[in-house]
């Protein structure tokens, strides 16, 4: 932090007021305006918080212009290549990658927390069979707060660790149960002989009547998806978890709030929308027609899965997912599948067409992850649940960072009120007719 630099604000020609400028490890400098209201009686207006840093964080950094994503300083490309998702989970929470002993201990802890209380399984019967799995997730994850009363002192590191471990361990079980309930299939118990991602796949696709053998190529692909979605700075759902947690709310309830936010089509539902778009196009022969529509400013059609709000260059996660996508399609012999041929044709055009190249509308991570999940056998309605499973790691790391921040305060954004001025109530009999 650079205490020497200041920003000077002059209002209506009055005396200038100075505010300190804070410098980060990476990224934009920030003007510290915490004293603005007290000094001037003014607030700032920043719809969507596009120019406002809501917190200090050591967890994730994005450089959208460079197409760079760092977890605790490590490039996402290196983590995806060399680390498992649970190693990344350990990193996000603790700040450093685990050594061999720490890795083994952490994996053991997560493995033996995967079971959910048997009474929790009865919650599922309260939902309609055709309920969206994300609606089920919001309710069931929130209900965890009714089962764990032992974690109420968030100043206790052991209590925070328990909450983190329980959520990371139980989310795969709950996601798989949401899928099984939706399809009318019996729940599959966790298998402690399998690693984290393989265990999730056997709970999703296995049956109690026969042994499930996970395909290592598919396990690695899904593990990579988890890693790429583990955290992404102060996005809408992460900010939701932090804001809910700032009141001292139970962490299970905070994660439920994050899941509800993630469900929005502008956020976690993007890969689901991408597959729906592919189904709408239907065939390679119609790609030209839809590309033309995407270029037409007067047409409401949007090419989903291309471009990114944050990345003004190629999404670094998309580069990794592109390889995973081709590995999975090759492993399953799906290179000639109708939907996947259509996706590859769209990808080819977007990477070569000057319109998309000039506007930097490259395929993003949602484009490829949706294709991979579809190939693995995960239905479109479950895509955002998979996202939530992975992002829970980042949410909990962000929640703990906020709770332990000495500058932590309950969130209380201001507003620019534009409603009616103060007025008096007219008695009912004296009010003019509408």
């Amino acid at each position: 932090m650079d205490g020497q630099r200041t920003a000077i604000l002059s209002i209506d020609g009055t005396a200038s007021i100075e505010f300190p400028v804070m410098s980060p490890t990476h990224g934009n400098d920030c003007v510290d305006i915490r004293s603005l209201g007290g000094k001037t009686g003014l607030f700032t207006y920043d719809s969507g918080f596009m120019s406002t840093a809501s917190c200090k964080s050591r967890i994730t950094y994005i450089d959208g212009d460079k197409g760079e994503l760092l977890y605790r300083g490590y490039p996402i490309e290196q983590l995806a290549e060399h680390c498992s998702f649970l190693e990344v989970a350990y990193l996000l929470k603790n700040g450093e990658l685990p050594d061999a002993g720490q890795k083994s201990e952490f994996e053991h802890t997560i493995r033996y927390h995967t079971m959910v209380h048997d009474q929790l399984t009865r919650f599922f019967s309260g939902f309609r069979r055709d309920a969206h799995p994300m609606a089920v997730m919001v309710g069931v994850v929130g209900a965890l707060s009714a089962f764990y009363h032992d974690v109420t002192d968030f100043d206790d590191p052991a209590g925070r660790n328990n909450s983190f471990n329980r959520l990371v361990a139980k989310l795969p079980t709950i996601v798989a149960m949401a899928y099984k309930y939706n399809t009318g299939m019996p729940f599959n118990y966790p298998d402690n002989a399998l690693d984290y991602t393989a265990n999730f796949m056997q709970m999703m696709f296995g049956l109690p009547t026969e042994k499930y053998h996970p395909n290592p190529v598919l396990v690695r692909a899904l593990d990579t998806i988890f890693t790429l979605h583990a955290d992404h700075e102060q996005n809408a759902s992460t900010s939701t978890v932090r804001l809910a947690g700032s009141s001292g709310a139970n962490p299970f309830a905070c994660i439920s709030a994050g899941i509800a936010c993630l469900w929005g089509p502008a956020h976690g539902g993007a890969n689901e929308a991408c597959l729906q778009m592919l189904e709408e196009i239907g065939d390679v022969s119609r790609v030209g027609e839809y590309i033309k529509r995407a270029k037409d400013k007067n047409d409401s059609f949007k090419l989903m899965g291309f471009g990114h709000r944050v990345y003004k260059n190629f999404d670094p996660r998309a580069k990794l997912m592109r390889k995973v996508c081709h590995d999975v399609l090759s492993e399953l012999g799906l290179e000639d599948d109708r939907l996947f041929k259509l996706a590859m044709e769209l990808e080819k055009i977007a990477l070569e067409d000057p319109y998309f190249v000039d506007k930097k509308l490259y395929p993003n991570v949602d484009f490829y992850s949706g294709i991979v999940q579809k190939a693995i056998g995960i239905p479109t309605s479950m895509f955002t649940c998979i996202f939530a499973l992975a992002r829970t790691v980042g949410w909990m790391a962000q929640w703990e960072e906020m709770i332990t921040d000495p500058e932590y305060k309950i969130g209380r954004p201001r507003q620019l009120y534009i409603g009616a001025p103060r007025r008096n109530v007219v008695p009912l009999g004296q009010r003019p007719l509408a």
Side-chain angles (χ1 to χ4, degrees):
M1 190 179 300
D2 185 356
Q4 303 303 309
R5 299 178 61 214
T6 59
I8 300 174
L9 175 66
S10 177
I11 303 168
D12 297 331
T14 59
S16 298
I17 303 164
E18 294 188 354
F19 298 96
V21 174
M22 307 167 75
S23 296
T25 306
H26 295 293
N28 296 352
D29 289 351
C30 295
V31 180
D32 183 355
I33 60 167
R34 285 174 289 180
S35 62
L36 177 67
K39 289 180 176 179
T40 68
L42 300 175
F43 299 140
T44 58
Y45 176 73
D46 183 17
S47 179
F49 307 111
M50 299 305 294
S51 298
T52 299
S54 61
C55 63
K56 299 175 185 174
S57 183
R58 294 180 171 87
I59 300 172
T60 308
Y61 172 71
I62 299 168
D63 189 321
D65 293 328
K66 291 181 181 178
E68 183 177 64
L69 172 61
L70 307 178
Y71 290 174
R72 298 286 190 178
Y74 293 107
I76 191 65
E77 297 88 345
Q78 295 178 23
L79 292 170
E81 180 181 357
H82 299 294
C83 302
S84 69
F85 173 64
L86 281 190
E87 287 178 88
V88 171
Y90 185 97
L91 167 70
L92 288 174
K93 182 185 186 302
N94 298 296
E96 299 293 341
L97 286 166
D99 60 28
Q102 292 168 331
K103 178 177 183 290
S104 178
E105 181 182 358
F106 182 60
E107 289 175 345
H108 180 274
T109 299
I110 297 301
R111 180 177 287 118
Y112 287 92
H113 275 90
T114 52
M115 291 283 289
V116 296
H117 197 291
D118 193 57
Q119 288 183 354
L120 191 72
T121 64
R122 302 174 196 171
F123 274 68
F124 288 85
S125 61
F127 295 96
R128 285 173 51 128
R129 284 284 181 192
D130 59 354
H132 195 288
M134 281 294 282
V136 175
M137 289 278 292
V138 170
V140 174
V141 173
L144 288 174
S145 58
F147 286 83
Y148 299 107
H149 304 291
D150 56 329
V151 184
T152 54
D153 181 7
F154 303 138
D155 292 328
D156 177 16
R160 297 195 301 270
N161 285 342
N162 282 339
S163 295
F164 181 91
N165 293 338
R166 283 167 174 161
L167 275 159
V168 173
K170 297 180 193 308
L171 254 293
T173 309
I174 292 171
V175 170
M177 291 171 74
Y179 169 67
K180 291 290 194 182
Y181 182 76
N182 194 250
T183 56
M185 302 292 285
F187 296 149
N188 237 26
Y189 284 114
D191 183 348
N192 288 342
L194 297 172
D195 67 24
Y196 187 84
T197 303
N199 191 20
F200 170 65
M201 292 185 72
Q202 78 83 20
M203 287 190 287
M204 280 281 290
F205 304 121
L207 296 170
T209 52
E210 56 191 62
K211 185 69 175 175
Y212 178 79
H213 299 284
N215 181 320
V217 174
L218 305 188
V219 171
R220 178 59 182 159
L222 194 54
D223 199 75
T224 301
I225 287 177
F226 290 166
T227 292
L228 299 184
H229 287 88
D231 199 51
H232 210 239
E233 223 185 71
Q234 303 307 314
N235 53 79
S237 58
T238 299
S239 297
T240 297
V241 170
R242 277 184 173 261
L243 190 59
S246 74
S247 72
N250 185 290
F252 301 107
C254 297
I255 298 305
S256 178
I259 292 170
C261 180
L262 187 70
W263 191 8
H267 192 4
N271 50 15
E272 186 174 342
C274 180
L275 261 292
Q276 291 168 348
M277 175 199 69
L278 293 176
E279 292 287 4
E280 179 186 342
I281 296 173
D283 189 80
V284 171
S285 63
R286 303 184 66 196
V287 168
E289 169 194 344
Y290 278 84
I291 290 291
K292 184 178 180 180
R293 290 184 60 189
K295 296 178 180 180
D296 186 352
K297 290 186 290 187
N298 299 317
D299 194 317
S300 61
F301 173 77
K302 290 184 178 180
L303 207 57
M304 304 302 296
F306 294 84
H308 195 279
R309 184 181 183 186
V310 174
Y311 297 107
K312 307 309 178 188
N313 207 316
F314 212 91
D315 182 343
R317 302 169 301 169
K319 294 180 182 179
L320 298 162
M321 278 309 305
R322 185 178 189 274
K323 181 182 183 305
V324 169
C325 182
H326 287 277
D327 289 346
V328 168
L329 297 186
S330 176
E331 174 69 15
L332 297 176
L334 291 173
E335 298 97 330
D336 293 326
D337 179 88
R338 172 187 63 85
L339 204 62
F340 301 127
K341 283 183 71 175
L342 168 58
M344 294 303 102
E345 181 63 20
L346 276 176
E347 176 201 50
K348 181 175 182 293
I349 291 173
L351 293 174
E352 296 177 356
D353 189 302
Y355 175 86
F356 294 99
V357 174
D358 292 345
K359 292 182 177 294
K360 298 184 178 180
L361 295 175
Y362 302 114
N364 60 37
V365 69
D366 297 311
F367 178 76
Y368 295 111
S369 66
I371 296 169
V372 171
Q373 291 179 70
K374 180 80 170 177
I376 289 173
I378 298 169
T380 308
S381 62
M382 290 296 300
F383 287 0
T384 317
C385 297
I386 301 295
F387 195 159
L389 187 167
R391 186 55 59 85
T392 293
V393 167
W395 287 335
M396 284 301 293
Q398 298 273 352
W399 170 83
E400 181 168 16
E401 182 178 65
M402 179 204 64
I403 287 292
T404 57
D405 186 344
E407 296 182 357
Y408 145 67
K409 295 180 178 67
I410 185 171
R412 199 354 181 144
R414 301 295 184 170
Q415 67 173 14
L416 178 64
Y417 177 70
I418 56 172
R422 178 185 171 89
R423 49 185 173 169
N424 296 319
V425 174
V426 177
L428 179 60
Q430 300 176 25
R431 295 174 198 165
L433 297 175

